[in-house]
Amino acid sequence: MPNSVKGALIMGAVVTGTFPAISANAAPIEIPGIGTFDTPLSDQDASAVNSQVQAFTKGVTNPESNQFGGGLGVGGGAQLPGIGVPQFEMPGFMQQDNAPANIALEAAKTKVGAQYSWGASGPYNFDCSGLVQWAYKQAGVELPRTSFEQSHVGAPVAFENLAPGDIVITNGGGHVGIYAGDGKLLNAVQSGTPVSYTNLRSDQIVTARRIV
């Protein structure tokens, strides 16, 4: 048993018990894990202290029985100051995923409504591969310029395994966009159509690539 717990048990026996007049006969008090001590208490008073010690021990070994917030519960809800329940944190839990694919997708989303312009790669106008290249550049990833070149980067991904941020090549290799999830492709579609979401079918795909 750790020394801090032993000390707490001893303090629990001392500070939480109300010691009345001392009897001439010694009575034992048992401190679990430490030992049994003869005290100048009556049997009745010693029994009361032992009950409080046992309650305290139960609170240590069974945290569910404690009253959280001010310390470990003793007896009828009394608290020992300074003996708190540890608080745990989970660094990184529920934090935004900063993988390049997610950063690229979020960057591309900011360009929804931007005008299509053949050969343009941002930051105001885009063609299809220019949008993909620009978006991944915001994530620190340099991609080649054309959709045909982009069809060879990263690792291949099956349609059923597509994840947001994957790049998808369609139209015989002449078009590319970024998968946005829910069967949608975020892309610079064509002249006269701004950057937008379009439906994606498996039979449209030449290849899908995951940047790893």
Side-chain angles (χ1 to χ4, degrees):
M1 181 180 293
N3 289 335
S4 59
V5 175
K6 292 180 180 179
L9 289 170
I10 293 173
M11 289 300 297
V14 174
V15 303
T16 64
T18 302
F19 289 7
I22 297 176
S23 170
N25 297 322
I29 291 180
E30 181 181 359
I31 308 297
I34 300 177
T36 301
F37 304 90
D38 290 330
T39 66
L41 297 176
S42 68
D43 290 340
Q44 181 179 357
D45 294 330
S47 177
V49 172
N50 280 324
S51 295
Q52 293 185 44
V53 172
Q54 291 171 7
F56 183 85
T57 304
K58 182 179 179 181
V60 173
T61 58
N62 298 282
E64 297 83 359
S65 64
N66 292 332
Q67 296 184 7
F68 290 81
L72 296 175
V74 181
Q79 303 291 320
L80 288 186
I83 305 176
V85 178
Q87 300 297 318
F88 300 94
E89 296 182 357
M90 300 177 66
F93 182 67
M94 295 296 289
Q95 291 182 354
Q96 181 180 1
D97 189 347
N98 289 324
N102 292 315
I103 296 174
L105 176 58
E106 292 302 314
K109 288 178 179 179
T110 67
K111 297 304 177 180
V112 170
Q115 293 301 309
Y116 179 96
S117 179
W118 188 85
S121 56
Y124 305 112
N125 301 308
F126 302 88
D127 66 10
C128 65
S129 56
L131 175 65
V132 173
Q133 184 189 51
W134 177 87
Y136 266 91
K137 188 174 183 179
Q138 310 316 301
V141 177
E142 293 290 342
L143 294 183
R145 178 63 182 85
T146 69
S147 60
F148 290 99
E149 293 172 313
Q150 291 172 3
S151 69
H152 295 95
V153 300
V157 184
F159 175 76
E160 60 270 18
N161 295 325
L162 280 174
D166 290 340
I167 65 174
V168 181
I169 314 296
T170 63
N171 194 27
H175 185 70
V176 63
I178 300 177
Y179 186 65
D182 297 324
K184 300 292 185 180
L185 191 67
L186 179 52
N187 53 155
V189 185
Q190 60 186 8
S191 180
T193 304
V195 173
S196 57
Y197 298 91
T198 56
N199 293 323
L200 179 66
R201 304 188 313 270
S202 60
D203 60 0
Q204 296 175 299
I205 298 175
V206 174
T207 184
R209 317 295 292 188
R210 180 163 297 161
I211 309 303
V212 294

